Amino acid sequence: MILTQVNSKDEKNVIIVEKDLFMKEIKNQEYISQIIIVIIESEDSIPEDYVKNKYVLFETSFEKALSKAYKIRKVNTIFVLGGSTLFSKAFQDKRCSRIYLTVSKREVLCDSISQEFKDLITGKLCKIYKLVRNRSYTKNSEYRIYERNILK
């Protein structure tokens, strides 16, 4: 899985995620090569189980989480997993240089897709992001990688 791939054993990937997604999908996974930064509403909303967990950190905004991620030593890659509010903020940040996107050809129960993703998929953001890889996973989904165009 791309979230766990690092160049050396002492490197880590940082994953920035909204609290709801963390609580539903991520909280019970092992954090071997990752540091998770969870976006919360306030300092008071940190789940008790994670107060002293060195692999799960908490911040009150995307900007603070991203700043914290850049201060962590030996980070290989910073990933933003979602939900849609976080994706919108990442799209606006020029440090978001690559997008890994799985496109499903069938209906999937998940967070609503942001307008930026809709525009990316339909090609409306081609001046900002270019498609660099498009590979089918199954007959119902494909994996795409987009990279931010560097404007001179």
Side-chain angles (χ1 to χ4, degrees):
M1 179 179 207
I2 197 162
L3 297 176
T4 59
Q5 293 175 355
V6 291
N7 294 322
S8 68
K9 64 181 179 178
D10 58 336
E11 283 186 330
K12 299 237 180 260
N13 288 330
V14 173
I15 298 169
I16 300 175
V17 62
E18 289 178 348
K19 183 180 176 186
D20 289 346
L21 183 59
F22 173 75
M23 297 304 283
K24 283 187 224 172
E25 303 291 334
I26 300 170
K27 72 175 185 172
N28 295 322
Q29 296 180 15
E30 277 190 51
Y31 315 113
I32 296 169
S33 59
Q34 301 141 341
I35 295 174
I36 315 287
I37 303 178
V38 183
I39 308 296
I40 55 175
E41 293 172 15
S42 71
E43 299 287 328
D44 300 333
S45 61
I46 297 174
E48 188 72 31
D49 303 354
Y50 296 96
V51 171
K52 294 185 179 179
N53 187 321
K54 67 180 181 179
Y55 298 109
V56 181
L57 310 173
F58 296 88
E59 276 301 340
T60 55
S61 72
F62 173 72
E63 293 76 17
K64 288 179 181 179
L66 198 55
S67 292
K68 183 176 272 187
Y70 276 105
K71 291 176 185 172
I72 296 170
R73 292 185 50 212
K74 297 189 178 180
V75 169
N76 182 58
T77 305
I78 300 169
F79 292 97
V80 177
L81 285 192
S84 60
T85 303
L86 245 122
F87 287 140
S88 292
K89 291 182 182 193
F91 268 103
Q92 294 167 19
D93 194 299
K94 290 193 182 349
R95 294 171 289 186
C96 178
S97 60
R98 184 173 292 142
I99 298 169
Y100 299 90
L101 180 65
T102 301
V103 179
S104 179
K105 296 176 184 172
R106 58 185 168 85
E107 192 169 322
V108 178
L109 294 174
C110 64
D111 193 11
S112 62
I113 189 168
S114 69
Q115 185 61 46
E116 290 87 354
F117 273 127
K118 289 177 186 175
D119 291 346
L120 185 67
I121 292 166
T122 60
K124 290 181 183 173
L125 290 178
C126 63
K127 290 183 180 177
I128 301 170
Y129 287 94
K130 65 181 176 192
L131 179 64
V132 294
R133 185 179 301 163
N134 189 9
R135 185 178 295 160
S136 291
Y137 271 147
T138 67
K139 65 179 182 176
N140 290 322
S141 67
E142 58 186 45
Y143 171 70
R144 298 179 183 179
I145 299 176
Y146 294 88
E147 289 186 352
R148 185 179 281 275
N149 291 322
I150 306 297
L151 301 175
K152 296 178 183 177

mmCIF file of all heavy atoms in Angstrom, residues 24 29 35 43 85 104 124 137 139 144:
data_model
loop_
_atom_site.group_PDB
_atom_site.id
_atom_site.type_symbol
_atom_site.label_atom_id
_atom_site.label_comp_id
_atom_site.label_asym_id
_atom_site.label_seq_id
_atom_site.Cartn_x
_atom_site.Cartn_y
_atom_site.Cartn_z
ATOM 1 N N LYS A 24 -13.574 6.065 12.133
ATOM 2 C CA LYS A 24 -14.270 4.985 11.407
ATOM 3 C C LYS A 24 -13.321 3.987 10.765
ATOM 4 O O LYS A 24 -13.574 2.794 10.762
ATOM 5 C CB LYS A 24 -15.149 5.576 10.292
ATOM 6 C CG LYS A 24 -16.428 6.187 10.754
ATOM 7 C CD LYS A 24 -17.247 6.566 9.527
ATOM 8 C CE LYS A 24 -17.831 7.937 9.698
ATOM 9 N NZ LYS A 24 -18.474 8.463 8.513
ATOM 10 N N GLN A 29 -5.759 0.497 13.141
ATOM 11 C CA GLN A 29 -4.651 -0.021 12.339
ATOM 12 C C GLN A 29 -3.316 0.202 13.039
ATOM 13 O O GLN A 29 -3.194 1.073 13.894
ATOM 14 C CB GLN A 29 -4.635 0.658 10.968
ATOM 15 C CG GLN A 29 -5.876 0.352 10.145
ATOM 16 C CD GLN A 29 -5.828 1.028 8.796
ATOM 17 O OE1 GLN A 29 -4.787 1.487 8.353
ATOM 18 N NE2 GLN A 29 -6.967 1.097 8.135
ATOM 19 N N ILE A 35 2.853 8.413 10.725
ATOM 20 C CA ILE A 35 2.406 9.287 11.802
ATOM 21 C C ILE A 35 1.096 9.877 11.312
ATOM 22 O O ILE A 35 1.017 10.407 10.201
ATOM 23 C CB ILE A 35 3.431 10.396 12.105
ATOM 24 C CG1 ILE A 35 4.720 9.761 12.643
ATOM 25 C CG2 ILE A 35 2.843 11.413 13.084
ATOM 26 C CD1 ILE A 35 5.855 10.719 12.845
ATOM 27 N N GLU A 43 -9.019 21.214 21.323
ATOM 28 C CA GLU A 43 -8.109 20.394 22.129
ATOM 29 C C GLU A 43 -8.884 19.450 23.049
ATOM 30 O O GLU A 43 -8.401 18.383 23.395
ATOM 31 C CB GLU A 43 -7.189 21.284 22.963
ATOM 32 C CG GLU A 43 -6.295 22.196 22.134
ATOM 33 C CD GLU A 43 -5.171 21.460 21.432
ATOM 34 O OE1 GLU A 43 -4.683 20.455 21.970
ATOM 35 O OE2 GLU A 43 -4.780 21.914 20.342
ATOM 36 N N THR A 85 -13.709 18.268 2.928
ATOM 37 C CA THR A 85 -13.265 19.595 3.366
ATOM 38 C C THR A 85 -11.746 19.684 3.341
ATOM 39 O O THR A 85 -11.177 20.675 2.872
ATOM 40 C CB THR A 85 -13.784 19.897 4.788
ATOM 41 O OG1 THR A 85 -15.199 19.792 4.779
ATOM 42 C CG2 THR A 85 -13.377 21.279 5.249
ATOM 43 N N SER A 104 -13.838 5.047 -8.959
ATOM 44 C CA SER A 104 -14.720 3.878 -9.016
ATOM 45 C C SER A 104 -15.740 4.089 -10.124
ATOM 46 O O SER A 104 -16.285 5.169 -10.279
ATOM 47 C CB SER A 104 -15.428 3.688 -7.679
ATOM 48 O OG SER A 104 -16.291 2.583 -7.758
ATOM 49 N N LYS A 124 -11.191 19.643 -16.067
ATOM 50 C CA LYS A 124 -11.300 21.099 -15.929
ATOM 51 C C LYS A 124 -10.103 21.714 -15.207
ATOM 52 O O LYS A 124 -9.882 22.910 -15.286
ATOM 53 C CB LYS A 124 -12.588 21.469 -15.189
ATOM 54 C CG LYS A 124 -13.839 21.202 -16.005
ATOM 55 C CD LYS A 124 -15.074 21.599 -15.244
ATOM 56 C CE LYS A 124 -16.319 21.252 -16.033
ATOM 57 N NZ LYS A 124 -17.533 21.467 -15.253
ATOM 58 N N TYR A 137 -7.397 -1.035 -11.979
ATOM 59 C CA TYR A 137 -7.250 -2.016 -10.899
ATOM 60 C C TYR A 137 -8.096 -3.242 -11.226
ATOM 61 O O TYR A 137 -7.645 -4.357 -11.246
ATOM 62 C CB TYR A 137 -7.809 -1.461 -9.585
ATOM 63 C CG TYR A 137 -6.842 -0.696 -8.740
ATOM 64 C CD1 TYR A 137 -7.289 0.366 -7.980
ATOM 65 C CD2 TYR A 137 -5.515 -1.035 -8.655
ATOM 66 C CE1 TYR A 137 -6.437 1.073 -7.167
ATOM 67 C CE2 TYR A 137 -4.652 -0.333 -7.846
ATOM 68 C CZ TYR A 137 -5.125 0.718 -7.107
ATOM 69 O OH TYR A 137 -4.278 1.413 -6.306
ATOM 70 N N LYS A 139 -12.226 -4.187 -13.225
ATOM 71 C CA LYS A 139 -13.129 -3.656 -14.247
ATOM 72 C C LYS A 139 -13.980 -2.508 -13.707
ATOM 73 O O LYS A 139 -14.548 -1.742 -14.470
ATOM 74 C CB LYS A 139 -14.021 -4.762 -14.806
ATOM 75 C CG LYS A 139 -14.977 -5.357 -13.813
ATOM 76 C CD LYS A 139 -15.832 -6.424 -14.461
ATOM 77 C CE LYS A 139 -16.820 -6.979 -13.444
ATOM 78 N NZ LYS A 139 -17.724 -7.930 -14.023
ATOM 79 N N ARG A 144 -5.316 6.647 -10.622
ATOM 80 C CA ARG A 144 -4.730 7.758 -11.373
ATOM 81 C C ARG A 144 -3.768 8.540 -10.486
ATOM 82 O O ARG A 144 -3.991 8.685 -9.293
ATOM 83 C CB ARG A 144 -5.814 8.726 -11.845
ATOM 84 C CG ARG A 144 -6.818 8.114 -12.787
ATOM 85 C CD ARG A 144 -7.856 9.137 -13.159
ATOM 86 N NE ARG A 144 -8.888 8.551 -14.006
ATOM 87 C CZ ARG A 144 -9.926 9.223 -14.471
ATOM 88 N NH1 ARG A 144 -10.081 10.492 -14.164
ATOM 89 N NH2 ARG A 144 -10.812 8.620 -15.221
#
